[in-house]
Amino acid sequence: MNPDDLKYHKEHAWVKASGKRATIGITDYAQDSLGDIVYIDLPEVETIAEAGNELAEIESTKATSSIISPVSGTVIEVNEKLADSPEIINEDPYGKGWVAIIEMDDTYELDELMDIDDYEKFVEEEAK
Amino acid sequence: MKLTVIGSGPGGYVAALKAARLGAQVTVIEDSEVGGTCLNVGCIPTKSLIASIEVLRKARRLDEYGIDLKGEIHPNLAGMMERKDKVVATNVRGIRALFKSWGITLVEGRGMLRGPSAVEVRKKDSPTELIETDKIIIATGSRPALLPMFPPDGQRILSSDHAIAMKSVPASMIIIGAGIIGCEFACIFRELGTEITMVEMMPGAISTEDTEISSMLERELKKKKIRLITGVRVDSSEVGNNVVNVSLSNGVQLTAEKLLVSIGRSLNTENIGLEALDIRRGPRGEIQVNNRMETNVDGIYAVGDVIGGPLLAHVASMEGIVAAFNACGLDKRMDYSVIPAGIFTSPEIGSVGLREQQAAEKGINVKIGRFQFRMLGKAHAMGELTGMVKILADAATRKVLGVHIIGAHASELVHEGALAMQAGLTVETVAEMIHSHPTLSECIMECAADVNNEAIHALKPNA
């Protein structure tokens, strides 16, 4: 189940905003499509993130792909635990598997993201 | 016909053997050991160490393969070096035996041209010898390039010649130059436990490769926790009691136990008598030759690193063969159009032909296929998921123009691509040939198919 208090990006990333702090992760659909995640190349703290651009690289037994940043801002924290145990993303994509926290330049970008209903419709469409 | 070859690396010794087979009376002059850089301090010793490192890496993954180990694994550098020395010695004896078998005279000392048909040999403990000859092949090779501010002392500041003979594993090492040699040593010493920081002037590691391949290598280096600082120069260094301190152009200060300088190779063109004979040289000091390997002086040929070019052992050997044919009165031309090359990092790289960035520079319209090792069963069975193949084909003729591979056995796999290029095959021909299953070679077939979006083991692209 996708949580209903999050905002979703079409590249299958989620955002949990609290003021200007945005916690970023990948969705359950993304982790399921990737399969067993074996490596994540985390951004460094103070990296400038841009909405729609790569935030991190992720590698699974099936594929390598990018995690796209859903918002713009500065990375202020990354989930270091993922470096040694990337499988946490598979186990808990919306909780312990969060990827990074971004201090957003502006919160208006959040309005451009999908809510849960739109995202689930989007995934259904994409799966067709 | 008397032929004298100066230098017995992969250019010189192969030239000597080819000429002897063609009936020449051959003398080889060598001032160090037969086999040159490649056999004594280059290709072969590094690959011997890398073989040990590969075993170590696999041993550290025993549990993944379902093998229990009672006790601990300890790399023994002295043992690895001993094995490496044995491998080198065996191969040195092998070349000496080939020389003997083909009646080639080996004269040990430093060769110097004394005219178009005379070479002087300066020996260590005996008087100089003058060799009269009909033809000469210069194959004096190259040596590690040095930076004046970091003269290697073999203790704190090392060249690759020192790194290949290390007595102990340093806790930390700064490597200046993230080219082929720097990256290979980084992978070796990192596995042994050394903290590695690489410093590179160019924007990335091994910038001569296809950028997609080199960025994948950079990511693999990062996984190993090898630090790579790019786009910076080294301003100064200072040797302390037990450390080397280095200042970078971006203000960063680094400290390590050892400093390895791997910034390329200098050509061995000094003190061999080129000037007196007015042998024509290029801007880097390289001896200039035509496609018959002839210098501007009649009867004098040059092959290998000393003529510049790609500085690859196998290219030197082919140049040696071409020079031997021509010296023996036959007509052979050197063809550089297909040169496969391996880089023995972890994972390995194998490449041949056009890189994507070169296609863009030259305005060549290409179609590109990509295929990941992890899509194939064999990669999973082997436990070698990391890897990809990339093929560039001419968009109009469909001919294979470049094949770039990173992953297990890449340096071997690349030869299928090289042969396809040599034979002028299209990607369709490569894709249509039945490839044995289960093998990593299936990646080449699938990648060739992917040029037309027809790889079987590829996910349906997003609409």
Side-chain angles (χ1 to χ4, degrees):
Chain A
M1 277 297 284
N2 299 310
D4 59 9
D5 57 338
L6 305 181
K7 289 283 201 173
Y8 298 88
H9 186 270
K10 63 178 168 53
E11 297 286 351
H12 308 289
W14 56 260
V15 184
K16 184 175 191 170
S18 159
K20 283 200 160 186
R21 274 171 67 98
T23 305
I24 315 290
I26 66 168
T27 64
D28 186 53
Y29 174 80
Q31 73 77 21
D32 189 55
S33 315
L34 281 165
D36 293 339
I37 293 165
V38 291
Y39 176 71
I40 179 164
D41 189 5
L42 292 163
E44 279 174 37
V45 169
E46 287 179 20
T47 301
I48 306 297
E50 272 186 70
N53 286 355
E54 181 180 281
L55 178 67
E57 279 184 298
I58 196 163
E59 199 179 307
S60 74
T61 54
K62 282 201 274 185
T64 55
S65 67
S66 302
I67 298 179
I68 300 299
S69 185
V71 294
S72 305
T74 308
V75 176
I76 54 171
E77 203 176 325
V78 296
N79 187 357
E80 299 286 356
K81 281 189 183 139
L82 301 181
D84 288 326
S85 306
E87 67 280 1
I88 298 172
I89 299 174
N90 291 117
E91 291 156 8
D92 191 6
Y94 297 112
K96 291 187 185 122
W98 65 276
V99 173
I101 299 174
I102 292 176
E103 171 93 20
M104 287 185 281
D105 296 336
D106 209 310
T107 53
Y108 76 88
E109 280 173 347
L110 293 171
D111 302 335
E112 294 169 17
L113 299 173
M114 292 177 265
D115 62 21
I116 181 169
D117 294 336
D118 289 341
Y119 179 67
E120 284 180 353
K121 257 181 243 161
F122 174 76
V123 167
E124 230 169 85
E125 281 297 311
E126 210 178 43
K128 271 182 191 168
Chain B
M1 196 276 290
K2 284 185 190 168
L3 170 69
T4 301
V5 182
I6 308 176
S8 69
Y13 93 75
V14 171
L17 286 166
K18 190 71 205 176
R21 283 168 167 268
L22 293 169
Q25 194 184 322
V26 183
T27 301
V28 174
I29 302 168
E30 173 57 60
D31 77 336
S32 173
E33 182 53 272
V34 296
T37 293
C38 165
L39 175 50
N40 294 285
V41 288
C43 319
I44 299 300
T46 50
K47 265 81 268 178
S48 305
L49 286 184
I50 288 167
S52 296
I53 294 296
E54 280 303 317
V55 172
L56 176 62
R57 188 174 290 125
K58 274 271 155 71
R60 286 177 168 151
R61 295 171 61 197
L62 284 180
D63 62 329
E64 253 181 73
Y65 290 85
I67 299 164
D68 293 337
L69 174 77
K70 301 242 180 329
E72 281 173 48
I73 293 159
H74 293 288
N76 166 8
L77 186 66
M80 293 181 186
M81 290 292 175
E82 196 182 315
R83 176 181 178 278
K84 173 212 75 176
D85 292 340
K86 213 184 272 175
V87 168
V88 170
T90 305
N91 283 276
V92 164
R93 278 198 305 275
I95 294 177
R96 284 174 176 265
L98 282 168
F99 279 3
K100 204 175 165 194
S101 144
W102 287 95
I104 294 167
T105 308
L106 176 65
V107 180
E108 294 182 69
R110 192 171 171 81
M112 183 147 181
L113 299 167
R114 280 296 181 210
S117 55
V119 182
E120 181 187 276
V121 188
R122 295 174 194 177
K123 300 177 181 178
K124 273 171 206 119
D125 308 317
S126 47
T128 58
E129 181 185 338
L130 196 70
I131 297 170
E132 302 280 337
T133 187
D134 299 314
K135 303 279 174 75
I136 297 168
I137 296 177
I138 304 167
T140 47
S142 66
R143 61 187 185 280
L146 305 177
L147 290 167
M149 58 178 139
F150 314 112
D153 56 12
Q155 294 301 315
R156 294 282 152 226
I157 302 183
L158 315 174
S159 74
S160 60
D161 289 359
H162 302 116
I164 198 66
M166 293 272 267
K167 299 267 189 295
S168 60
V169 177
S172 54
M173 189 191 286
I174 299 163
I175 301 180
I176 301 177
I180 296 168
I181 300 171
C183 287
E184 287 188 0
F185 276 112
C187 291
I188 292 172
F189 283 104
R190 183 67 196 120
E191 193 66 34
L192 292 170
T194 305
E195 292 289 333
I196 306 273
T197 304
M198 304 183 82
V199 180
E200 171 59 52
M201 230 166 59
M202 302 292 287
I206 315 196
S207 47
T208 47
E209 289 302 311
D210 188 282
T211 42
E212 217 169 319
I213 300 293
S214 40
S215 48
M216 192 156 159
L217 177 70
E218 280 181 18
R219 198 159 60 114
E220 294 303 318
L221 295 176
K222 198 172 170 187
K223 280 189 197 174
K224 295 179 199 304
K225 303 200 162 47
I226 291 171
R227 192 171 163 211
L228 174 65
I229 306 172
T230 57
V232 291
R233 285 169 187 277
V234 179
D235 281 343
S236 64
S237 81
E238 175 215 351
V239 176
N241 266 345
N242 295 306
V243 291
V244 190
N245 299 305
V246 168
S247 304
L248 304 183
S249 57
N250 61 357
V252 170
Q253 302 278 326
L254 300 172
T255 297
E257 198 182 313
K258 305 273 184 191
L259 174 70
L260 170 61
V261 180
S262 58
I263 52 157
R265 311 275 306 169
S266 294
L267 313 181
N268 291 333
T269 51
E270 299 87 5
N271 304 319
I272 54 171
L274 298 178
E275 297 78 7
L277 285 172
D278 274 331
I279 290 179
R280 200 176 295 138
R281 317 249 305 267
R284 293 170 54 212
E286 76 277 15
I287 299 176
Q288 294 194 324
V289 292
N290 60 16
N291 63 1
R292 285 169 45 91
M293 312 319 295
E294 293 165 327
T295 67
N296 59 313
V297 177
D298 208 27
I300 301 184
Y301 303 77
V303 302
D305 290 2
V306 81
I307 65 165
L311 309 189
L312 291 168
H314 43 294
V315 173
S317 296
M318 193 56 83
E319 290 167 344
I321 288 172
V322 169
F325 270 113
N326 293 323
C328 292
L330 298 153
D331 184 26
K332 195 97 176 165
R333 314 274 160 153
M334 189 62 199
D335 174 8
Y336 292 100
S337 54
V338 179
I339 303 175
I343 300 173
F344 298 85
T345 40
S346 167
E348 254 176 49
I349 294 173
S351 63
V352 61
L354 196 70
R355 280 77 165 131
E356 191 178 348
Q357 67 267 27
Q358 292 173 330
E361 278 163 25
K362 295 177 180 170
I364 300 171
N365 193 7
V366 290
K367 286 208 70 179
I368 298 175
R370 294 177 179 83
F371 194 80
Q372 297 267 353
F373 276 30
R374 70 189 67 228
M375 301 309 285
L376 286 184
K378 183 63 183 284
H380 287 261
M382 291 169 70
E384 300 284 358
L385 292 185
T386 301
M388 74 170 284
V389 181
K390 176 173 177 180
I391 296 180
L392 282 75
D394 187 297
T397 66
R398 325 297 301 163
K399 282 186 181 174
V400 178
L401 298 180
V403 178
H404 307 285
I405 310 174
I406 182 167
H409 305 296
S411 64
E412 310 284 349
L413 292 168
V414 72
H415 287 88
E416 181 180 352
L419 187 60
M421 284 175 58
Q422 181 90 4
L425 303 182
T426 63
V427 280
E428 287 79 12
T429 306
V430 175
E432 282 163 15
M433 191 190 91
I434 297 174
H435 282 63
S436 168
H437 175 76
T439 62
L440 292 177
S441 294
E442 292 171 86
C443 290
I444 311 276
M445 172 178 71
E446 285 280 54
C447 186
D450 188 62
V451 172
N452 295 320
N453 299 317
E454 286 172 357
I456 294 297
H457 299 88
L459 300 172
K460 189 176 172 184
N462 290 334

mmCIF file of all heavy atoms in Angstrom, chain B residues 399-418:
data_model
loop_
_atom_site.group_PDB
_atom_site.id
_atom_site.type_symbol
_atom_site.label_atom_id
_atom_site.label_comp_id
_atom_site.label_asym_id
_atom_site.label_seq_id
_atom_site.Cartn_x
_atom_site.Cartn_y
_atom_site.Cartn_z
ATOM 1 N N LYS B 399 27.712 -1.857 -40.250
ATOM 2 C CA LYS B 399 28.961 -2.503 -39.847
ATOM 3 C C LYS B 399 29.335 -2.144 -38.411
ATOM 4 O O LYS B 399 29.096 -1.020 -37.958
ATOM 5 C CB LYS B 399 30.097 -2.081 -40.784
ATOM 6 C CG LYS B 399 30.051 -2.807 -42.108
ATOM 7 C CD LYS B 399 31.257 -2.476 -42.948
ATOM 8 C CE LYS B 399 31.165 -3.217 -44.277
ATOM 9 N NZ LYS B 399 32.226 -2.827 -45.191
ATOM 10 N N VAL B 400 29.941 -3.112 -37.712
ATOM 11 C CA VAL B 400 30.407 -2.881 -36.343
ATOM 12 C C VAL B 400 31.585 -1.905 -36.396
ATOM 13 O O VAL B 400 32.562 -2.135 -37.111
ATOM 14 C CB VAL B 400 30.855 -4.199 -35.682
ATOM 15 C CG1 VAL B 400 31.396 -3.945 -34.276
ATOM 16 C CG2 VAL B 400 29.705 -5.204 -35.647
ATOM 17 N N LEU B 401 31.481 -0.800 -35.646
ATOM 18 C CA LEU B 401 32.555 0.206 -35.633
ATOM 19 C C LEU B 401 33.288 0.245 -34.301
ATOM 20 O O LEU B 401 34.418 0.709 -34.222
ATOM 21 C CB LEU B 401 31.981 1.601 -35.919
ATOM 22 C CG LEU B 401 31.314 1.815 -37.269
ATOM 23 C CD1 LEU B 401 30.797 3.254 -37.375
ATOM 24 C CD2 LEU B 401 32.281 1.522 -38.407
ATOM 25 N N GLY B 402 32.618 -0.220 -33.235
ATOM 26 C CA GLY B 402 33.263 -0.186 -31.919
ATOM 27 C C GLY B 402 32.564 -1.132 -30.970
ATOM 28 O O GLY B 402 31.338 -1.309 -31.055
ATOM 29 N N VAL B 403 33.361 -1.810 -30.122
ATOM 30 C CA VAL B 403 32.787 -2.692 -29.109
ATOM 31 C C VAL B 403 33.470 -2.389 -27.783
ATOM 32 O O VAL B 403 34.697 -2.375 -27.704
ATOM 33 C CB VAL B 403 32.989 -4.184 -29.483
ATOM 34 C CG1 VAL B 403 32.428 -5.086 -28.393
ATOM 35 C CG2 VAL B 403 32.332 -4.498 -30.818
ATOM 36 N N HIS B 404 32.675 -2.103 -26.772
ATOM 37 C CA HIS B 404 33.210 -1.688 -25.473
ATOM 38 C C HIS B 404 32.569 -2.537 -24.390
ATOM 39 O O HIS B 404 31.352 -2.618 -24.305
ATOM 40 C CB HIS B 404 32.924 -0.206 -25.249
ATOM 41 C CG HIS B 404 33.411 0.618 -26.395
ATOM 42 N ND1 HIS B 404 34.732 0.893 -26.578
ATOM 43 C CD2 HIS B 404 32.755 1.136 -27.470
ATOM 44 C CE1 HIS B 404 34.889 1.565 -27.699
ATOM 45 N NE2 HIS B 404 33.701 1.723 -28.259
ATOM 46 N N ILE B 405 33.408 -3.158 -23.591
ATOM 47 C CA ILE B 405 32.896 -4.096 -22.598
ATOM 48 C C ILE B 405 33.532 -3.791 -21.251
ATOM 49 O O ILE B 405 34.742 -3.551 -21.160
ATOM 50 C CB ILE B 405 33.229 -5.560 -22.987
ATOM 51 C CG1 ILE B 405 32.808 -5.830 -24.441
ATOM 52 C CG2 ILE B 405 32.556 -6.551 -22.043
ATOM 53 C CD1 ILE B 405 33.227 -7.194 -24.960
ATOM 54 N N ILE B 406 32.721 -3.795 -20.212
ATOM 55 C CA ILE B 406 33.246 -3.760 -18.844
ATOM 56 C C ILE B 406 32.589 -4.914 -18.117
ATOM 57 O O ILE B 406 31.380 -5.137 -18.266
ATOM 58 C CB ILE B 406 33.010 -2.390 -18.149
ATOM 59 C CG1 ILE B 406 33.625 -2.383 -16.742
ATOM 60 C CG2 ILE B 406 31.535 -1.991 -18.128
ATOM 61 C CD1 ILE B 406 33.717 -0.994 -16.117
ATOM 62 N N GLY B 407 33.376 -5.678 -17.361
ATOM 63 C CA GLY B 407 32.833 -6.818 -16.636
ATOM 64 C C GLY B 407 33.800 -7.989 -16.701
ATOM 65 O O GLY B 407 34.860 -7.893 -17.332
ATOM 66 N N ALA B 408 33.405 -9.100 -16.090
ATOM 67 C CA ALA B 408 34.280 -10.270 -16.035
ATOM 68 C C ALA B 408 34.683 -10.706 -17.447
ATOM 69 O O ALA B 408 33.845 -10.761 -18.350
ATOM 70 C CB ALA B 408 33.558 -11.415 -15.329
ATOM 71 N N HIS B 409 35.948 -10.997 -17.614
ATOM 72 C CA HIS B 409 36.509 -11.519 -18.875
ATOM 73 C C HIS B 409 36.348 -10.582 -20.071
ATOM 74 O O HIS B 409 36.421 -11.013 -21.219
ATOM 75 C CB HIS B 409 35.925 -12.905 -19.214
ATOM 76 C CG HIS B 409 36.100 -13.899 -18.110
ATOM 77 N ND1 HIS B 409 37.340 -14.311 -17.695
ATOM 78 C CD2 HIS B 409 35.206 -14.517 -17.296
ATOM 79 C CE1 HIS B 409 37.190 -15.162 -16.685
ATOM 80 N NE2 HIS B 409 35.912 -15.298 -16.413
ATOM 81 N N ALA B 410 36.146 -9.297 -19.805
ATOM 82 C CA ALA B 410 35.944 -8.324 -20.894
ATOM 83 C C ALA B 410 37.111 -8.327 -21.872
ATOM 84 O O ALA B 410 36.914 -8.196 -23.083
ATOM 85 C CB ALA B 410 35.747 -6.922 -20.319
ATOM 86 N N SER B 411 38.336 -8.494 -21.341
ATOM 87 C CA SER B 411 39.509 -8.410 -22.220
ATOM 88 C C SER B 411 39.548 -9.582 -23.202
ATOM 89 O O SER B 411 40.166 -9.493 -24.256
ATOM 90 C CB SER B 411 40.798 -8.358 -21.400
ATOM 91 O OG SER B 411 40.971 -9.551 -20.665
ATOM 92 N N GLU B 412 38.906 -10.691 -22.863
ATOM 93 C CA GLU B 412 38.817 -11.834 -23.790
ATOM 94 C C GLU B 412 37.617 -11.651 -24.721
ATOM 95 O O GLU B 412 37.717 -11.863 -25.930
ATOM 96 C CB GLU B 412 38.636 -13.151 -23.020
ATOM 97 C CG GLU B 412 39.619 -13.384 -21.882
ATOM 98 C CD GLU B 412 41.003 -13.809 -22.346
ATOM 99 O OE1 GLU B 412 41.150 -14.127 -23.533
ATOM 100 O OE2 GLU B 412 41.927 -13.807 -21.516
ATOM 101 N N LEU B 413 36.480 -11.259 -24.129
ATOM 102 C CA LEU B 413 35.233 -11.143 -24.901
ATOM 103 C C LEU B 413 35.354 -10.174 -26.071
ATOM 104 O O LEU B 413 34.704 -10.352 -27.102
ATOM 105 C CB LEU B 413 34.090 -10.683 -23.984
ATOM 106 C CG LEU B 413 33.625 -11.680 -22.919
ATOM 107 C CD1 LEU B 413 32.721 -10.979 -21.910
ATOM 108 C CD2 LEU B 413 32.894 -12.850 -23.561
ATOM 109 N N VAL B 414 36.185 -9.151 -25.890
ATOM 110 C CA VAL B 414 36.246 -8.081 -26.885
ATOM 111 C C VAL B 414 36.731 -8.580 -28.248
ATOM 112 O O VAL B 414 36.445 -7.979 -29.290
ATOM 113 C CB VAL B 414 37.123 -6.921 -26.375
ATOM 114 C CG1 VAL B 414 38.608 -7.291 -26.383
ATOM 115 C CG2 VAL B 414 36.890 -5.666 -27.196
ATOM 116 N N HIS B 415 37.427 -9.732 -28.258
ATOM 117 C CA HIS B 415 38.001 -10.182 -29.528
ATOM 118 C C HIS B 415 36.956 -10.620 -30.554
ATOM 119 O O HIS B 415 37.205 -10.564 -31.754
ATOM 120 C CB HIS B 415 39.034 -11.289 -29.284
ATOM 121 C CG HIS B 415 40.282 -10.734 -28.691
ATOM 122 N ND1 HIS B 415 40.457 -10.577 -27.337
ATOM 123 C CD2 HIS B 415 41.377 -10.221 -29.279
ATOM 124 C CE1 HIS B 415 41.630 -10.006 -27.125
ATOM 125 N NE2 HIS B 415 42.205 -9.787 -28.279
ATOM 126 N N GLU B 416 35.791 -11.011 -30.089
ATOM 127 C CA GLU B 416 34.735 -11.311 -31.062
ATOM 128 C C GLU B 416 34.371 -10.036 -31.829
ATOM 129 O O GLU B 416 34.205 -10.049 -33.050
ATOM 130 C CB GLU B 416 33.495 -11.883 -30.372
ATOM 131 C CG GLU B 416 32.411 -12.224 -31.379
ATOM 132 C CD GLU B 416 31.149 -12.788 -30.742
ATOM 133 O OE1 GLU B 416 31.151 -13.065 -29.530
ATOM 134 O OE2 GLU B 416 30.164 -12.944 -31.467
ATOM 135 N N GLY B 417 34.286 -8.945 -31.071
ATOM 136 C CA GLY B 417 34.005 -7.645 -31.696
ATOM 137 C C GLY B 417 35.122 -7.233 -32.638
ATOM 138 O O GLY B 417 34.874 -6.721 -33.739
ATOM 139 N N ALA B 418 36.370 -7.477 -32.208
ATOM 140 C CA ALA B 418 37.515 -7.092 -33.037
ATOM 141 C C ALA B 418 37.506 -7.872 -34.352
ATOM 142 O O ALA B 418 37.746 -7.308 -35.422
ATOM 143 C CB ALA B 418 38.813 -7.335 -32.272
#
